[in-house]
Amino acid sequence: MNLLSSIREIAVLAALPALLVALALFFAWPTALALPLLLLTAVLSALLRLTQLRRQHAVQSERQQAFMQRLIDVIPQPVYVKDSAARYLMVNQSLANRLGREPAELIGCDSCSFLSDPELITHTRQEDAAALSGARITAELHDTDPLSGKPRDRLIMKGTCLNAEGEPVIVGANFDITHWREAEQALQAVLQREQAQQLETRAWLQRLIDVIPYPIYVKDADSHYQLVNQAFEKDKGLPGAELIGRTGVGPVHPDRLAQVLTEDAKVLRGEPLRKEEHRAHARTGAEVFRIITKGVCTDERGNTVIVGAHVDITELRQAQRHLQEALERETGLRQRTEAFLQRLVDVIPDPVYIKDSNSRYLLVNEAFAEYRQLDRDFILGPDFPVHGPTTPARAQSEREDQAVLGGQEVVKEEHTIRKGTGEEVFRIVRKRRSVFFDGRPVVIGIDHNITRWRVAERELQQLAQEDGLTGLANRRHFHHEAERAIDLAQRYQQALSLILIDLDHFKQINDLYGHHAGDLVLVETVHRLREGLRRADFPGRWGGEEFIILLPHTELAEAVQVAERLRAAVGDSLLQIEGRQLAITLSAGVAQRRIGEGLESFIARADSALYVAKNEGRNRVLAEARPADMDCRATVY
């Protein structure tokens, strides 16, 4: 029931006495008695209804008060309402928890009674007065939590409004922003660490380029120097602090400066620069030859920068000039020398890499990427397969990396066959532990390619053991292998035979057709001899047109059969030599090693049999007479 309905009911009750008077007159009641009674009844009824209205209004006020209390209790930060005397009229549960009291205990209390700091009490009084005067208070306060004793940061907000009775009240809220400030401090610490990391990275880059013996510099997109190494400082004759931020150094000619700026602009557009320059040094006036290279990349902040290098080749070019002056008529030699010098300038260093403890590459050079036939960005990127299928080589490499990270150093030689190309590679692998710029332990490796030296060593060894014309073992190498075969035969009591071969009338071939034709005859003869031998047989060139063949595990009779097979292979068909058909025959002497016999005696007996074969008409095989210490009888052809 609203207020308007209540007023209507009161009016009805007020009209009730008039009705009673009318009834009294109608029934002829005594007027003196009925009228006061009726008036009293009306007054009492009105009072009862007014009391009922007041109770309803009080209940509604309590409900509104309870709703407002529940509303502010939802707010997780302290909220309160104070009168002009700084007494709490309403507080939420968060403020009560902050003060360690129940909300009912705070109502009517002076808010400053819970403060112990006189300065804070005075400051609070001043804020309340300012708020009552219409000012809106917003302040940040750093103090200590009285309950926990921990430092805290709070945002104090105060303002005024009129309550239901039209009286001014102070509405305030304290927002705890400690976690915000802690987050700001944490972010500030991260920022400081990031700045320190950037400074450390820049210092590491400075140390890295200072190792390079020729001038290196980095310029920004406006061609201002941002980073220079010690070689650049020495070349310009100025400390790095005076070079940073400048475009030109020293008295630079306008045309020269314009040329440099034009080159920088092209580099920034993606056109790398590589040129050779010959001029007088700007500071010393000395003649200078150098190769200038420029490229573009991004620095650690993501800014586009120009990286340049000046490689001094003055000594090389001056040596080239002197050589050209001394050998100006030797054009061919001069051109080969220039080509050699150019190749020398264009040499790429051996593959170098840096890996972390998880075998992920942190740094590789162009030579490494070229050797692996992979793009360098892919090798350093997240998609590069660090742990692929387990192979013996991969497992060995990972064990070596762990050993290096433990403080050991690896130096070894590897012999591998490259997949895909089948290229044979010899290299010296060197690994050493170091610390990256961010403090991580890393493995630094370098692979020295020594393939050509190892191949050359093998070819030299092969030349030392083989006859250059026929590819058979030369006399020295055959002698070495025959001694080994004799030792094995002696140790294991095995048969060992020998065939000594001589081409018949070979001198006539050289005299009639020349030595070149004779060499071709020797080569073709050796080809036919190889086809008639077993894998275990060991042939050699004994000298001129003489050949010798060692037959392990072979007794005399079987050796004679082998020799006869070889004689037939050579003599039964004509040789096609430079368009001519030549008939070639051979004579052979065969011997089997006797118990305790040395190589010289062994060969001498085969040679004696060969001598007899040639004297008896050639184109035949003759074996020595069977001695008493042989198990088989000799066969004579």
Side-chain angles (χ1 to χ4, degrees):
M1 182 180 296
N2 56 25
L3 183 60
L4 181 60
S5 299
S6 299
I7 293 175
R8 289 176 181 174
E9 292 179 0
I10 294 173
V12 171
L13 293 175
L16 183 61
L19 179 61
L20 293 176
V21 171
L23 292 175
L25 292 175
F26 180 77
F27 290 104
W29 283 2
T31 303
L33 178 62
L35 184 59
L37 180 61
L38 292 174
L39 290 175
L40 179 59
T41 302
V43 171
L44 291 176
S45 298
L47 289 176
L48 289 174
R49 187 58 183 168
L50 181 60
T51 302
Q52 183 180 6
L53 289 175
R54 286 179 178 176
R55 288 178 180 176
Q56 291 178 353
H57 181 68
V59 169
Q60 186 174 5
S61 297
E62 289 178 359
R63 289 176 178 175
Q64 292 178 349
Q65 185 77 8
F67 170 73
M68 292 181 62
Q69 184 64 50
R70 290 194 300 273
L71 180 66
I72 65 174
D73 282 340
V74 174
I75 301 175
Q77 302 292 343
V79 177
Y80 58 86
V81 178
K82 297 192 294 187
D83 61 13
S84 58
R87 293 186 297 263
Y88 285 121
L89 300 176
M90 183 180 295
V91 298
N92 67 347
Q93 189 63 47
S94 177
L95 178 62
N97 294 339
R98 176 70 64 181
L99 297 177
R101 305 289 182 89
E102 292 295 329
E105 299 179 26
L106 301 177
I107 303 303
C109 297
D110 189 341
S111 63
C112 292
S113 63
F114 301 99
L115 302 178
S116 58
D117 187 355
E119 294 183 2
L120 184 57
I121 293 174
T122 302
H123 182 70
T124 302
R125 297 293 190 193
Q126 293 174 352
E127 285 182 348
D128 291 347
L132 289 171
S133 65
R136 183 175 293 275
I137 307 300
T138 301
E140 185 173 334
L141 180 64
H142 178 75
D143 58 2
T144 301
D145 191 321
L147 298 179
S148 65
K150 296 181 179 179
R152 62 180 178 179
D153 292 277
R154 293 185 295 160
L155 184 62
I156 308 298
M157 302 181 70
K158 292 182 181 180
T160 59
C161 65
L162 298 178
N163 61 8
E165 288 76 18
E167 298 174 346
V169 293
I170 301 171
V171 180
N174 296 343
F175 294 96
D176 190 327
I177 59 172
T178 304
H179 60 288
W180 294 347
R181 291 292 177 257
E182 290 176 349
E184 289 179 357
Q185 293 173 359
L187 289 175
Q188 185 67 26
V190 171
L191 178 60
Q192 292 176 353
R193 288 197 299 270
E194 182 66 24
Q195 292 174 345
Q197 183 72 21
Q198 291 180 357
L199 293 176
E200 185 177 354
T201 302
R202 181 56 65 96
W204 183 79
L205 290 174
Q206 184 67 57
R207 294 193 300 270
L208 180 65
I209 66 173
D210 282 342
V211 176
I212 302 174
Y214 46 82
I216 300 291
Y217 60 86
V218 177
K219 296 196 290 187
D220 61 17
D222 296 324
S223 295
H224 296 146
Y225 290 112
Q226 299 295 312
L227 189 67
V228 298
N229 67 345
Q230 293 178 354
F232 190 87
E233 295 177 5
K234 183 178 179 181
D235 181 70
K236 300 302 181 182
L238 292 173
E242 298 184 20
L243 295 172
I244 302 303
R246 299 175 60 175
T247 302
V249 180
V252 181
H253 193 277
D255 294 340
R256 171 67 178 168
L257 181 58
Q259 179 186 4
V260 171
L261 295 178
T262 301
E263 292 173 350
D264 290 351
K266 290 182 178 180
V267 171
L268 289 171
R269 290 197 298 268
E271 302 178 19
L273 173 69
R274 179 182 177 86
K275 70 174 184 177
E276 183 173 331
E277 185 179 71
H278 175 211
R279 64 184 182 86
H281 194 281
R283 183 170 57 86
T284 64
E287 182 185 38
V288 174
F289 292 89
R290 60 182 181 178
I291 293 178
I292 298 178
T293 60
K294 293 182 183 180
V296 67
C297 67
T298 56
D299 62 10
E300 70 275 10
R301 298 181 181 88
N303 300 321
T304 301
V305 295
I306 302 170
V307 181
H310 298 168
V311 182
D312 190 294
I313 58 169
T314 303
E315 294 183 1
L316 294 177
R317 286 292 177 257
Q318 290 177 347
Q320 180 184 3
R321 178 197 297 162
H322 296 156
L323 182 61
Q324 183 177 357
E325 293 174 353
L327 305 175
E328 59 184 7
R329 294 183 179 180
E330 301 292 337
T331 305
L333 177 61
R334 176 180 59 81
Q335 292 176 347
R336 289 193 297 272
T337 303
E338 288 178 352
F340 168 75
L341 290 175
Q342 187 62 48
R343 289 195 300 271
L344 180 63
V345 172
D346 293 337
V347 165
I348 299 175
D350 289 324
V352 177
Y353 59 88
I354 298 178
K355 292 196 294 184
D356 62 13
S357 58
N358 295 322
S359 297
R360 181 166 294 280
Y361 290 103
L362 303 176
L363 177 69
V364 298
N365 65 350
E366 293 181 1
F368 183 89
E370 182 179 354
Y371 178 78
R372 296 292 296 271
Q373 297 180 347
L374 294 173
D375 184 74
R376 180 166 55 180
D377 293 337
F378 173 69
I379 296 174
L380 300 178
D383 297 330
F384 184 75
V386 176
H387 300 291
T390 301
T391 62
R394 179 184 293 274
Q396 176 65 22
S397 178
E398 292 179 354
R399 286 194 298 270
E400 290 174 355
D401 291 347
Q402 294 304 316
V404 170
L405 291 171
Q408 300 182 21
E409 183 175 356
V410 173
V411 179
K412 67 175 184 177
E413 181 173 336
E414 285 188 349
H415 176 208
T416 58
I417 304 297
R418 295 190 67 181
K419 293 182 178 179
T421 64
E423 178 186 0
E424 185 179 30
V425 178
F426 294 87
R427 59 181 181 173
I428 294 178
V429 178
R430 185 183 298 271
K431 296 181 181 180
R432 180 177 295 178
R433 182 185 186 276
S434 185
V435 178
F436 209 46
F437 66 88
D438 57 2
R440 285 183 290 174
V442 294
V443 177
I444 299 180
I446 181 170
D447 298 343
H448 300 285
N449 193 318
I450 60 170
T451 303
R452 54 182 177 178
W453 286 283
R454 288 293 179 259
V455 171
E457 288 178 357
R458 185 166 59 195
E459 291 177 351
L460 288 174
Q461 184 179 6
Q462 186 175 0
L463 290 174
Q465 296 177 351
E466 294 183 357
D467 174 60
L469 177 64
T470 64
L472 297 178
N474 57 25
R475 188 165 184 155
R476 178 180 179 184
H477 184 49
F478 181 87
H479 191 280
H480 175 73
E481 292 298 323
E483 291 287 0
R484 291 178 65 249
I486 289 175
D487 289 342
L488 290 175
Q490 181 72 26
R491 181 181 306 171
Y492 298 107
Q493 298 181 358
Q494 297 171 345
L496 180 65
S497 296
L498 185 71
I499 302 174
L500 192 59
I501 297 173
D502 183 77
L503 298 185
D504 299 331
H505 305 295
F506 183 74
K507 183 176 182 300
Q508 295 178 4
I509 296 175
N510 284 334
D511 294 341
L512 291 175
Y513 307 111
H515 288 282
H516 178 66
D519 289 344
L520 294 179
V521 168
L522 293 175
V523 172
E524 180 61 24
T525 300
V526 168
H527 176 69
R528 295 188 179 187
L529 292 177
R530 284 185 182 274
E531 290 182 345
L533 294 176
R534 303 167 301 180
R535 183 182 298 274
D537 299 336
F538 187 73
R541 186 178 182 186
W542 198 240
E545 67 275 16
E546 288 187 333
F547 302 97
I548 190 168
I549 303 172
L550 196 65
L551 305 176
H553 309 286
T554 306
E555 294 184 353
L556 183 62
E558 185 181 356
V560 170
Q561 293 176 3
V562 173
E564 179 59 28
R565 187 168 62 247
L566 298 178
R567 184 198 64 80
V570 174
D572 288 354
S573 61
L574 299 177
L575 273 64
Q576 301 293 330
I577 304 297
E578 294 186 333
R580 302 182 183 90
Q581 293 184 342
L582 302 179
I584 303 297
T585 62
L586 61 81
S587 300
V590 183
Q592 179 179 350
R593 178 183 171 273
R594 299 173 181 176
I595 298 175
E597 185 179 28
L599 180 61
E600 292 183 2
S601 174
F602 188 17
I603 296 175
R605 290 189 295 106
D607 186 56
S608 296
L610 173 62
Y611 180 78
V612 174
K614 293 182 72 68
N615 286 339
E616 291 184 357
R618 296 182 173 86
N619 192 20
R620 65 187 59 205
V621 175
L622 185 64
E624 61 173 345
R626 179 184 180 277
D629 58 353
M630 288 188 181
D631 295 333
C632 65
R633 299 183 63 183
T635 303
V636 180
Y637 295 84

